[in-house]
């Protein structure tokens, strides 16, 4: 499962993000990564955001068109009523998708991929727990060894440069 950081769209298999977004896709690395739940407008948007608020699911509303108010002035189309991208944390996606499914007029494109999404969330949670479980003494030891290796590399560069310089001087 890939993800576009710009449009926040999840991509499954060979599917590209909406409207031919040409940004580089990457893997989701954090369960709190913001991802698009859907694009909604008008009454559907109000219903969905109300349900998300009631379920204590954090969300952000983003304009689909980056022009925002400028688009409204030029086209006369009210941006507040137009389609808005609803973005939620990746970890809240299953619960938010379930709420989305209750609104019949909105298309839930995530439902067929929900098993894959849930598996990815569990995998990321396991990675987070594994990182937390590292012993503090081991963490300190790794930091000290890393610092010593770094200092050794700097010393090697300095002494190596000095040796090369003296070798070049001996040639002339």
């Amino acid at each position: 499962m890939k993800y576009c950081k710009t449009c926040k769209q999840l991509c499954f298999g060979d599917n590209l993000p909406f409207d031919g977004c040409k940004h580089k896709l990457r893997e989701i690395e954090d369960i709190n990564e913001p991802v698009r739940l859907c694009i909604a407008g008008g009454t559907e948007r109000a219903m969905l955001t109300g349900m998300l608020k009631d379920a204590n699911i954090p969300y952000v509303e983003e304009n689909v068109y980056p022009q925002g108010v400028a688009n409204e002035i030029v086209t006369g189309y009210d941006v507040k009523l137009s389609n808005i991208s609803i973005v939620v944390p990746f970890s809240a996606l299953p619960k938010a998708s379930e709420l989305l499914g209750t609104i019949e007029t909105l298309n839930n494109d995530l439902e067929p991929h929900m098993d894959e999404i849930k598996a990815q969330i569990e995998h990321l949670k396991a990675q987070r727990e594994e990182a937390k479980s590292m012993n503090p003494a081991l963490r300190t030891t790794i930091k000290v060894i890393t610092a010593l290796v770094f200092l050794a590399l700097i010393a090697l560069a300095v002494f190596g440069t000095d040796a090369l310089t003296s070798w070049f001087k001996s040639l002339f």
Side-chain angles (χ1 to χ4, degrees):
M1 174 180 355
K2 299 279 186 179
Y3 163 79
C4 175
K5 191 169 183 162
T6 304
C7 66
K8 297 177 178 52
Q9 177 74 28
L10 287 175
C11 304
F12 302 94
D14 294 333
N15 295 341
L16 292 176
F18 83 110
D19 73 14
C21 176
K22 304 288 188 226
H23 294 97
K24 185 176 180 183
L25 300 178
R26 63 181 185 90
E27 293 290 330
I28 292 182
E29 298 170 354
D30 185 16
I31 60 173
N32 293 321
E33 196 79 53
V35 295
R36 178 186 300 160
L37 174 63
C38 68
I39 295 177
T43 307
E44 291 90 0
R45 178 176 142 226
M47 288 180 2
L48 181 58
T49 56
M51 286 191 287
L52 290 171
K53 193 178 291 184
D54 289 345
N56 291 323
I57 297 174
Y59 68 93
V60 175
E61 297 178 82
E62 297 179 349
N63 285 329
V64 174
Y65 302 105
Q67 299 90 354
V69 176
N71 188 40
E72 180 179 343
I73 293 169
V74 172
T75 64
Y77 190 63
D78 187 1
V79 173
K80 293 169 216 57
L81 297 176
S82 67
N83 289 335
I84 300 291
S85 177
I86 309 293
V87 178
V88 298
F90 184 65
S91 60
L93 203 53
K95 189 174 179 183
S97 176
E98 188 177 313
L99 293 174
L100 176 64
T102 63
I103 302 175
E104 294 177 8
T105 54
L106 285 176
N107 190 10
N108 188 352
D109 297 330
L110 300 172
E111 190 59 39
H113 307 286
M114 201 46 63
D115 290 337
E116 185 180 348
I117 291 170
K118 288 178 181 178
Q120 181 70 13
I121 290 171
E122 290 303 316
H123 174 72
L124 291 172
K125 284 181 179 179
Q127 279 183 337
R128 181 181 268 191
E129 288 302 316
E130 186 178 306
K132 283 182 183 179
S133 67
M134 186 184 288
N135 185 346
L138 177 61
R139 186 175 295 144
T140 303
T141 304
I142 290 173
K143 286 180 181 178
V144 168
I145 290 172
T146 304
L148 290 174
V149 168
F150 179 71
L151 291 174
L153 287 173
I154 290 174
L156 181 64
V158 169
F159 292 125
T161 304
D162 195 34
L164 275 173
T165 305
S166 62
W167 180 72
F168 277 129
K169 283 183 180 179
S170 68
L171 292 177
F172 300 106

